[in-house]
Amino acid sequence: EIIQGNVTFTEARNWYVAADPPVVSEDDAMIVYRSNTGTNLLSSPKIRAWESSGNGNWKAEVELESAGSTITNMTLKYSPFENRIVVVTRGIDANLDAYVCDGNCTVASNWTREDNIAAVNTAATGQFDIDFETSTGDAILVYNILKHQSYH
């Protein structure tokens, strides 16, 4: 649900989208989503930046490197300390991948990917989140651990 002034917008469809308001960024906002576009289709996160100047518009879609399997969940966070954006995805293989950009994030080659940083429970959605530590600015990933076929 989006509320702006006296207008409320509620989307009836279930979207696979994550967004975070920027604290430090060259763009006004950024969104990460999956779509059936680009080279890797549903296996690559796509990002778009919002530019609010004039009437406002979304910049072109940027396809990031493949996560290796169809993405089921994702989250995006801006660092409050530096020009860093982190995206974490979960695929149908239950692995988490992290994508990090330290500037000019509408260029795909400025993103680096850490592959299979954790395995999570495949039975439920979500089960992970990321944020930045308030005194150091380090990224912290919290997730449900998959260990010896039981979940902790």
Side-chain angles (χ1 to χ4, degrees):
E1 184 171 283
I2 300 172
I3 301 172
Q4 187 172 10
N6 294 332
V7 178
T8 301
F9 174 76
T10 304
E11 177 60 57
R13 295 174 282 184
N14 185 15
W15 290 91
Y16 295 96
V17 172
D20 189 37
V23 176
V24 178
S25 174
E26 64 271 10
D27 299 303
D28 294 317
M30 188 166 285
I31 190 168
V32 62
Y33 57 96
R34 72 173 198 170
S35 70
N36 221 1
T37 60
T39 304
N40 298 306
L41 305 174
L42 299 176
S43 296
S44 287
K46 314 305 191 291
I47 59 165
R48 280 190 179 219
W50 174 257
E51 184 174 50
S52 65
S53 64
N55 292 329
N57 68 305
W58 287 103
K59 293 183 179 179
E61 178 178 273
V62 176
E63 180 177 27
L64 302 182
E65 187 178 343
S66 175
S69 69
T70 298
I71 294 171
T72 58
N73 301 85
M74 66 204 77
T75 190
L76 176 146
K77 295 288 179 169
Y78 280 84
S79 169
F81 296 96
E82 53 193 325
N83 192 20
R84 174 170 288 169
I85 301 171
V86 176
V87 170
V88 177
T89 62
R90 183 191 115 173
I92 59 171
D93 61 1
N95 286 315
L96 300 180
D97 295 316
Y99 298 78
V100 179
C101 180
D102 289 319
N104 197 12
C105 298
T106 56
V107 176
S109 62
N110 290 340
W111 289 83
T112 58
R113 180 175 66 101
E114 292 295 324
D115 190 32
N116 300 333
I117 58 176
V120 296
N121 182 344
T122 59
T125 60
Q127 304 204 4
F128 68 94
D129 199 8
I130 188 166
D131 213 336
F132 289 88
E133 207 276 330
T134 57
S135 63
T136 65
D138 292 341
I140 300 172
L141 175 66
V142 179
Y143 57 94
N144 182 357
I145 299 172
L146 172 62
K147 186 176 180 183
H148 307 294
Q149 301 302 320
S150 63
Y151 306 103
H152 303 276

